[in-house]
Amino acid sequence: MITLRPAGARGHFDFGWLDTRHTFSFGEYFDPEHMQFHALRVINEDRVQPGKGFGTHGHRDMEILTWVLSGTLEHRDSLGTHGVIRPGEAQVMSAGTGIRHSEFNPSASEPVHFLQIWILPGEPGLAPRYDQVAFSEDSLQNQLRLIASPDAADGSVKLFQDVRIYAARLDAGREVQAAIPPGRAGFLHVAKGSVTLNGTAMAAGDAARIEGEPSLTVAAGSPAEVLFFDLA
């Protein structure tokens, strides 16, 4: 069964410096029917204006993954980490027992467009940590590239949860396929462009819960970028 979550049904707030859309309940947006899906707790699509960002704030007991779609995002945290995240790079932060960080758009002219994803960890009280991995453009093009996993397989960033996250950039007319093992579920988020998921049309910002389907086929109707979650 495929359950579509249309882009327009998401929570939406425009603060001027930040335009943000929430697939699941977050902050001032609350929808009891969209609290989480398995261990997937948050997908926020954020656009931050040049020179703006999120000041230092804290998190606990959450696996936080950032995936930049365009522009650059600068990160600093209480571990002493300082990095800049660009398209094709996965950044993960285990908040664990507590971490504080800030995120800013360092550009003076270009907005940054990114997804921030929260995964519930397998256990509380983990040691905070940070990791960032860059993936080649070729490895993302017209194939599902593993970017996050519980065992850091194939050069992916590590998650402390039984979740595997794949990214793909698809040319128009190309498709990717994946099997979903029995007892697991899938979730697809369309970051850019338009696709069909097992024949169901999806546009940018749309998402879909995938349950009881042994496999999926994602076909691009226009140049597209998608994230696929394989969930226990």
Side-chain angles (χ1 to χ4, degrees), residues 3-197:
T3 305
L4 188 66
R5 171 74 159 145
R10 296 176 296 175
H12 178 218
F13 298 93
D14 188 346
F15 301 104
W17 66 273
L18 166 69
D19 186 286
T20 182
R21 299 169 193 270
H22 308 320
T23 298
F24 299 99
S25 294
F26 183 88
E28 296 181 10
Y29 170 63
F30 176 74
D31 183 338
E33 295 185 2
H34 297 282
M35 295 299 297
Q36 66 188 71
F37 184 62
H38 293 249
L40 177 56
R41 175 62 187 86
V42 165
I43 300 180
N44 288 348
E45 181 183 4
D46 290 343
R47 289 177 170 85
V48 176
Q49 293 301 307
K52 303 296 184 180
F54 303 90
T56 302
H57 58 283
H59 296 284
R60 295 179 64 91
D61 290 326
M62 197 66 67
E63 299 288 282
I64 300 173
L65 180 81
T66 300
W67 184 255
V68 173
L69 300 170
S70 64
T72 56
L73 187 68
E74 186 173 4
H75 166 97
R76 295 181 186 271
D77 64 41
S78 54
L79 299 176
T81 309
H82 174 223
V84 176
I85 315 159
R86 298 174 177 85
E89 299 179 352
Q91 180 228 56
V92 68
M93 188 175 67
S94 291
T97 55
I99 194 169
R100 295 179 63 77
H101 75 136
S102 63
E103 297 163 300
F104 279 89
N105 180 357
S107 173
S109 58
E110 183 183 9
V112 59
H113 179 199
F114 65 99
L115 299 175
Q116 188 162 98
I117 296 153
W118 291 13
I119 304 289
L120 297 168
E123 59 181 286
L126 298 168
R129 52 105 205 193
Y130 176 96
D131 193 16
Q132 185 173 334
V133 172
F135 301 95
S136 70
E137 186 170 341
D138 286 346
S139 72
L140 294 164
Q141 201 68 32
N142 296 318
Q143 58 189 320
L144 287 167
R145 176 51 161 108
L146 184 66
I147 63 170
S149 66
D151 53 3
D154 198 21
S156 61
V157 296
K158 181 177 176 63
L159 295 172
F160 287 101
Q161 180 56 273
D162 187 5
V163 171
R164 289 168 177 80
I165 305 174
Y166 299 82
R169 296 171 180 167
L170 300 174
D171 296 325
R174 297 294 297 269
E175 66 179 37
V176 292
Q177 297 177 327
I180 303 176
R184 298 184 70 86
F187 192 90
L188 187 79
H189 179 87
V190 181
K192 296 180 180 180
S194 61
V195 303
T196 60
L197 167 62

Side-chain angles (χ1 to χ4, degrees), residues 217-231:
T217 298
V218 179
S222 65
E225 184 166 346
V226 300
L227 290 181
F228 170 62
F229 299 78
D230 175 4
L231 303 158

